[in-house]
Amino acid sequence: MKNHRQTFQQDNKNRGRLLITCPDQPGIVAAISQFLSHHEANIIESSQYSTNPEGGVFFIRIEFECPDLESKKNVMREEFDTIARKFSMDWKLFFVQELKRAAIFVSKELHCLRELLLEWESGDLMADIPLVISNHPDAKDFVESFGIPFVHVPANKNNRQEAEQQQLKLLEEHDIDVIILARYMQILTSGFVEAYAEKIINIHHSFLPAFVGAKPYDRAFDRGVKIIGATSHYVTNDLDEGPIIEQDVKRVNHRDQVEDLKKNGKIIERSVLVRAVKWHIDDRIIVHENKTIVF
Amino acid sequence: MKNHRQTFQQDNKNRGRLLITCPDQPGIVAAISQFLSHHEANIIESSQYSTNPEGGVFFIRIEFECPDLESKKNVMREEFDTIARKFSMDWKLFFVQELKRAAIFVSKELHCLRELLLEWESGDLMADIPLVISNHPDAKDFVESFGIPFVHVPANKNNRQEAEQQQLKLLEEHDIDVIILARYMQILTSGFVEAYAEKIINIHHSFLPAFVGAKPYDRAFDRGVKIIGATSHYVTNDLDEGPIIEQDVKRVNHRDQVEDLKKNGKIIERSVLVRAVKWHIDDRIIVHENKTIVF
Amino acid sequence: MKNHRQTFQQDNKNRGRLLITCPDQPGIVAAISQFLSHHEANIIESSQYSTNPEGGVFFIRIEFECPDLESKKNVMREEFDTIARKFSMDWKLFFVQELKRAAIFVSKELHCLRELLLEWESGDLMADIPLVISNHPDAKDFVESFGIPFVHVPANKNNRQEAEQQQLKLLEEHDIDVIILARYMQILTSGFVEAYAEKIINIHHSFLPAFVGAKPYDRAFDRGVKIIGATSHYVTNDLDEGPIIEQDVKRVNHRDQVEDLKKNGKIIERSVLVRAVKWHIDDRIIVHENKTIVF
Amino acid sequence: MKNHRQTFQQDNKNRGRLLITCPDQPGIVAAISQFLSHHEANIIESSQYSTNPEGGVFFIRIEFECPDLESKKNVMREEFDTIARKFSMDWKLFFVQELKRAAIFVSKELHCLRELLLEWESGDLMADIPLVISNHPDAKDFVESFGIPFVHVPANKNNRQEAEQQQLKLLEEHDIDVIILARYMQILTSGFVEAYAEKIINIHHSFLPAFVGAKPYDRAFDRGVKIIGATSHYVTNDLDEGPIIEQDVKRVNHRDQVEDLKKNGKIIERSVLVRAVKWHIDDRIIVHENKTIVF
């Protein structure tokens, strides 16, 4: 991982990303691209979307390459603020070299954790992972074999508040940007969720909105569905109702018992979660009114 | 179609199918295969399934080729009855030459009807279609261009009973075996449904059990799903809760408005319904406790 | 169709599209967006791609809404030419109201033709179709039932030159922009292909580059593949080697005989071809070095 | 793994499987099922297929549960031999408790190896893996962390014979039933392949028969395909021409560079290989004339 990280940061030292949401009107793209052109930035990738060309909401993601970006960071932020005010923009400017810091929460099912760490190790999931937190000790050895600290916080229904205090302290200490719930089987309190709004990514083991809540595979089996699914979404205070980032499905048949659905489901869960996390880390997602725009 | 029909019947004059459900126990397959062997029948395809090898329910579908089947029909039925009693079998014996008689019900959306009739015309959906019934006149020309009678029964919420009387009379007159609801937008009364139990196939325009009921695409759009679906199922008196026969899905994204979901959905709806109908016609489906075994 | 056409043209009377290919360098997007902003055009959708941010080739597709577009057409073309020269652009400006004119070529297999005409009739394939040309008379009734002229040009190996003379004359008379080979089973001469470079869309019944040439399903069966496919591509003078626009696949198994592969294949062929044609008509495709960029 | 293994063997101590290939004729199923019934065996799953009902080749796979199977093994083999002679059967009788012994061959790309070992550890790939052989030392630590011996045999073009001598000795010592080439980048000699006919499973990183041979992703990129694939097959002495077991695909687009194809491809490669290996281990595959029947 260390070499991958270094190479990536070197390769991306002049790479920036702009994510913008604002009321639609003519001239937005012109203003942004002039700003970038003025700083000698070359637009590498640009995607935009309007809910409605006549008076809707406008979204854009621009990835650019800008010589000497390091030295221009502050100036660019300041100058762009003027444009942003003019167009009432909600905006974020990311410098790709500054890696996101992710904490993974896990319980006893380790397939999603494994996939995340293997992708991380091979350099395909480019973030820093300062710690893994679990309410069970099972994953300890596996996590530590990657050189990542593992913290056992024995959270359960009865000690939710105290456990979250400890977790929040850890998250702050490690300056965490994004929390990945890799089949973490505890419900978070509303205070916790609000502290990390649009920054907690969950994987739900069903094709939402089918089978919200507990034991989705058992219920899928009982209903006799012919396709099962998994859904990655941002966590909000409505259980399994947050903005959907990604979904995928797999065909099953009458021979598949609940155990088979679970095994097949694991394969979808891990790939759906990893895709969602990568999009988040690549600043590809804008949340708008309980939906996601994924550029 | 006429030539396809004749060729098919000629090719299948010695072809039979056995569908059996019974309590599982050793010796079932031996008994059936001895019976078939005794009649010089060659097993062409055989599929079986047990809910649980120790004391569960056993299902089997056998397709066989039997010389001079025509002349043996009655004897075979009588003789098999003895075996069936011994093993407490629920069974059906079909002769492939005797085509199923299907009635199609449709409203204003014609894509499923079109697909069914085009498949029928090309000989890929091998059934007789003595009539199409609709509560709107829109499909008249199209249906009649295939030489199939079209009956306009203007059913709606207020005249349900009378409309169904007329429909039931038509179904009886034409000796209908199976009813295909090809986006027929009227709810059927429980009496109607019970008269054709496990013989009414519906297409619902969502990935059930998500979005049961009306306007599924609008609700899928509101929820921001990343995949839409369609579900074909047998109709029971619980709305959209009947045994699922087949489902399929299609990826969508944030750019897709409700209209786009509908357009994309049509492509899935028609193929899912056609697959389900073909499996029914090929006697591939056994219904068991609100689920389907599809062999 | 007529109503759909009228509504579409009314809805899109101010809608334009720019497609550009040029050497990559900073300032391109700024120049284009300033130009559009100057004409009070609002960018509705914009997609871009560079083969390589440092000195590669840059591609962009912009869809915009511009008040009084009708009256600005010529001025815009002239003014944009100045920008285009500066950046050495290869560019096209389309006005959405001006529908493309498509000719469909077909032989005996009609499933692709059917899908195209049904999509056209329902307003989902928004082009004008002034004629269908076939080397067999089979499709005549079906085509004419849509009010579209059908011309039987009995082309074969031996009369290729004369047949193409007649076809080219028809294409010119009807001012055809794009030719759709909907399972047209004749090879075109190089002269014909060059006359309509990047304007002839073919559907090949295999997952290219597997099974180039004749009888792909027979060869797929012989090889024992577990998945079959279809490929839509622009026609060049290298058989089945032109730029691929779209592909799709379907799972098969050992039970599927050649006939089953063909039946299953039809379903993919028709949907792949229709998607490719729609992207072409929506000006979503840029051809670059025997590949397509599909925005 | 140890606990999974023990539980599995306990659960399957009475479970057997019959795989049969023979000329088709009436009475085969009757003979087999009578034989099983006579031994009080209950048929759990049965699948059959004929290349042609009239005089073709007949294939069947039967999984059965038989009380005191342990004590009946020899008798059953002897008795079945009589039936087999009568019908000219090519047959195998497997006892599920007797696990297959697999050797994994790997080079530098470890994603397939990882997936295999993780599935093995979780009890989802139920075989014994007595050793992993590699021509590079890279996988040593990972393999040994599972308690599996790792042997570095530095095979290359120039020492093929000697390297294979060493490998064959290891395979014999460990009584290996099946060899899994998990992205093993050396070509095997014909002697080696013949020694393990229908027992060497390879993963090729393309959708065969497209891109046979070296560097398939580079060639897929050059051709501009819109879908990439992976193929698992039994190894024969015709490079990448052996019987295909399983294939899968993934959509790509013009943005994907060769490196992206490789990353995306890894996800398909590993899942396709694992599926193929599981089917082999579950005795689901019959090879017939360079094709597989997968029951």
Side-chain angles (χ1 to χ4, degrees), chain A residues 45 114-115 118 121 124 255 263 270, chain D residues 45 114-115 118 121 124 255 263 270:
Chain A
E45 194 184 322
R114 267 181 191 138
E115 187 80 359
L118 291 172
E121 194 187 33
D124 290 339
R255 292 188 194 284
K263 278 181 198 176
R270 65 187 195 180
Chain D
E45 194 183 322
R114 268 183 190 136
E115 187 81 357
L118 291 172
E121 193 187 34
D124 290 338
R255 293 189 194 283
K263 279 182 196 176
R270 66 187 195 182

Side-chain angles (χ1 to χ4, degrees), chain B residues 156-165 186-189:
Chain B
N156 58 52
K157 276 184 203 169
N158 307 316
N159 71 347
R160 195 152 289 165
Q161 294 289 346
E162 302 141 67
E164 287 194 357
Q165 289 306 330
Q186 294 293 312
I187 289 175
L188 303 170
T189 68

Side-chain angles (χ1 to χ4, degrees), chain A residues 223-224 226, chain B residues 19 61 92 94 100 177-181 188 192-204 208 230-247 272-295:
Chain A
R223 181 63 187 93
K226 298 299 184 186
Chain B
L19 259 72
R61 176 191 185 274
K92 289 173 189 166
F94 297 100
K100 298 241 183 323
D177 296 312
V178 55
I179 298 165
I180 305 166
L181 306 185
L188 303 170
F192 192 105
V193 169
E194 279 152 24
Y196 285 88
E198 298 178 13
K199 291 184 172 171
I200 310 176
I201 299 175
N202 186 39
I203 180 73
H204 183 72
L208 289 175
T231 304
S232 186
H233 62 94
Y234 287 112
V235 174
T236 63
N237 280 315
D238 297 310
L239 182 66
D240 299 333
E241 298 281 356
I244 293 172
I245 303 169
E246 173 63 333
Q247 306 189 284
V272 166
L273 179 59
V274 166
R275 278 207 293 281
V277 168
K278 285 184 181 174
W279 291 340
H280 179 93
I281 280 171
D282 289 351
D283 307 308
R284 296 201 165 276
I285 312 176
I286 299 180
V287 175
H288 178 66
E289 288 180 356
N290 211 42
K291 293 191 196 181
T292 61
I293 289 101
V294 180
F295 281 130

Side-chain angles (χ1 to χ4, degrees), chain B residues 106-122:
Chain B
V106 71
S107 292
K108 289 187 151 194
E109 296 269 22
L110 306 188
H111 54 287
C112 289
L113 174 73
R114 268 182 190 139
E115 187 81 358
L116 287 163
L117 294 190
L118 289 173
E119 288 287 294
W120 174 80
E121 193 188 35
S122 67

Side-chain angles (χ1 to χ4, degrees), chain A residues 17 31 48 111 113 115 157-158 165 179 196 244 249 252 276:
Chain A
R17 292 177 192 139
Q48 60 173 80
H111 54 287
L113 175 73
E115 187 80 359
K157 276 183 203 171
N158 306 315
Q165 290 305 332
I179 299 166
Y196 286 87
I244 293 172
V249 297
V252 295

Side-chain angles (χ1 to χ4, degrees), chain D:
Chain D
M1 175 61 193
K2 266 186 192 151
N3 288 344
H4 292 302
R5 190 182 190 280
Q6 218 170 329
T7 309
F8 179 85
Q9 288 188 313
Q10 185 55 34
D11 288 353
N12 287 280
K13 68 178 200 298
N14 290 326
R15 188 63 69 105
R17 292 178 193 138
L18 258 172
L19 258 72
I20 298 165
T21 305
C22 67
D24 201 1
Q25 59 175 285
I28 303 173
V29 178
I32 302 169
S33 53
Q34 253 179 290
F35 163 81
L36 289 172
S37 180
H38 169 70
H39 286 282
E40 295 168 273
N42 191 15
I43 298 177
I44 301 303
E45 194 183 322
S46 169
S47 309
Q48 60 173 80
Y49 167 66
S50 294
T51 53
N52 182 345
E54 295 151 27
V57 184
F58 173 89
F59 309 88
I60 195 164
R61 176 190 185 273
I62 295 178
E63 188 158 332
F64 59 87
E65 190 78 18
C66 182
D68 295 316
L69 184 60
E70 186 66 37
S71 64
K72 297 175 183 168
K73 284 181 184 180
N74 292 337
V75 182
M76 284 180 88
R77 279 200 197 280
E78 277 168 39
E79 284 188 19
F80 195 77
D81 199 49
T82 317
I83 297 171
R85 279 168 203 270
K86 187 179 159 198
F87 290 94
S88 307
M89 287 173 176
D90 200 0
W91 65 287
K92 290 174 189 167
L93 175 55
F94 297 100
F95 302 105
V96 177
Q97 202 183 31
E98 300 171 359
L99 298 184
K100 297 241 182 325
R101 295 174 65 78
I104 304 175
F105 280 45
V106 71
S107 291
K108 288 189 151 190
E109 295 271 22
L110 305 188
H111 54 286
C112 289
L113 174 74
R114 268 183 190 136
E115 187 81 357
L116 287 163
L117 293 190
L118 291 172
E119 287 289 292
W120 173 79
E121 193 187 34
S122 67
D124 290 338
L125 192 159
M126 195 45 75
D128 285 332
I129 303 182
L131 84 164
V132 171
I133 294 174
S134 179
N135 57 336
H136 293 283
D138 308 51
K140 189 172 193 302
D141 288 357
F142 182 72
V143 170
E144 291 180 351
S145 77
F146 289 86
I148 297 174
F150 174 89
V151 186
H152 179 205
V153 179
N156 59 53
K157 277 184 202 170
N158 307 315
N159 72 347
R160 195 152 288 165
Q161 295 288 346
E162 301 141 67
E164 287 195 356
Q165 289 305 332
Q166 195 185 340
Q167 290 165 346
L168 285 166
K169 204 169 151 241
L170 286 163
L171 297 175
E172 235 170 277
E173 277 171 24
H174 288 88
D175 200 14
I176 295 302
D177 297 311
V178 54
I179 298 166
I180 306 165
L181 306 184
R183 296 296 308 272
Y184 181 65
M185 303 306 279
Q186 294 294 311
I187 289 176
L188 303 169
T189 68
S190 63
F192 191 106
V193 169
E194 278 153 25
Y196 286 88
E198 296 177 17
K199 290 184 173 172
I200 309 176
I201 299 174
N202 186 39
I203 180 73
H204 183 73
H205 38 319
S206 86
F207 185 86
L208 290 175
F211 310 121
V212 164
K215 294 196 170 290
Y217 291 124
D218 295 78
R219 288 148 67 205
F221 176 77
D222 288 344
R223 181 63 187 92
V225 297
K226 299 300 185 185
I227 290 178
I228 56 168
T231 304
S232 186
H233 63 95
Y234 287 112
V235 174
T236 63
N237 280 315
D238 297 310
L239 182 66
D240 300 331
E241 297 282 355
I244 292 173
I245 304 170
E246 173 64 334
Q247 305 189 285
D248 210 347
V249 296
K250 197 168 190 305
R251 202 163 270 280
V252 294
N253 66 41
H254 60 267
R255 293 189 194 283
D256 292 302
Q257 303 299 308
V258 176
E259 280 313 304
D260 302 306
L261 301 191
K262 284 181 184 170
K263 279 182 196 176
N264 278 296
K266 282 182 184 181
I267 294 169
I268 331 173
E269 290 167 29
R270 66 187 195 182
S271 64
V272 166
L273 179 60
V274 165
R275 279 207 293 279
V277 168
K278 285 183 181 173
W279 291 340
H280 179 93
I281 281 170
D282 289 350
D283 307 308
R284 295 200 167 276
I285 312 176
I286 299 179
V287 175
H288 178 67
E289 287 178 359
N290 212 43
K291 294 190 195 182
T292 62
I293 288 101
V294 180
F295 281 129

Side-chain angles (χ1 to χ4, degrees), chain B residues 38-136:
Chain B
H38 170 71
H39 286 281
E40 293 167 275
N42 191 15
I43 298 178
I44 302 303
E45 194 184 324
S46 169
S47 309
Q48 61 173 80
Y49 168 65
S50 294
T51 53
N52 182 345
E54 297 152 24
V57 183
F58 173 89
F59 308 89
I60 196 164
R61 176 191 185 274
I62 294 177
E63 188 157 333
F64 59 88
E65 190 77 20
C66 184
D68 295 316
L69 184 60
E70 186 67 36
S71 64
K72 297 175 183 167
K73 284 182 183 180
N74 292 337
V75 182
M76 284 181 89
R77 282 202 196 278
E78 275 166 41
E79 283 188 20
F80 195 74
D81 200 48
T82 317
I83 298 171
R85 278 166 203 269
K86 187 179 158 197
F87 289 95
S88 306
M89 288 173 175
D90 200 1
W91 65 287
K92 289 173 189 166
L93 175 55
F94 297 100
F95 302 106
V96 177
Q97 202 182 31
E98 300 170 1
L99 297 184
K100 298 241 183 323
R101 296 174 65 77
I104 303 175
F105 281 44
V106 71
S107 292
K108 289 187 151 194
E109 296 269 22
L110 306 188
H111 54 287
C112 289
L113 174 73
R114 268 182 190 139
E115 187 81 358
L116 287 163
L117 294 190
L118 289 173
E119 288 287 294
W120 174 80
E121 193 188 35
S122 67
D124 290 338
L125 193 160
M126 195 45 76
D128 285 332
I129 304 181
L131 84 165
V132 171
I133 294 175
S134 179
N135 57 335
H136 293 283

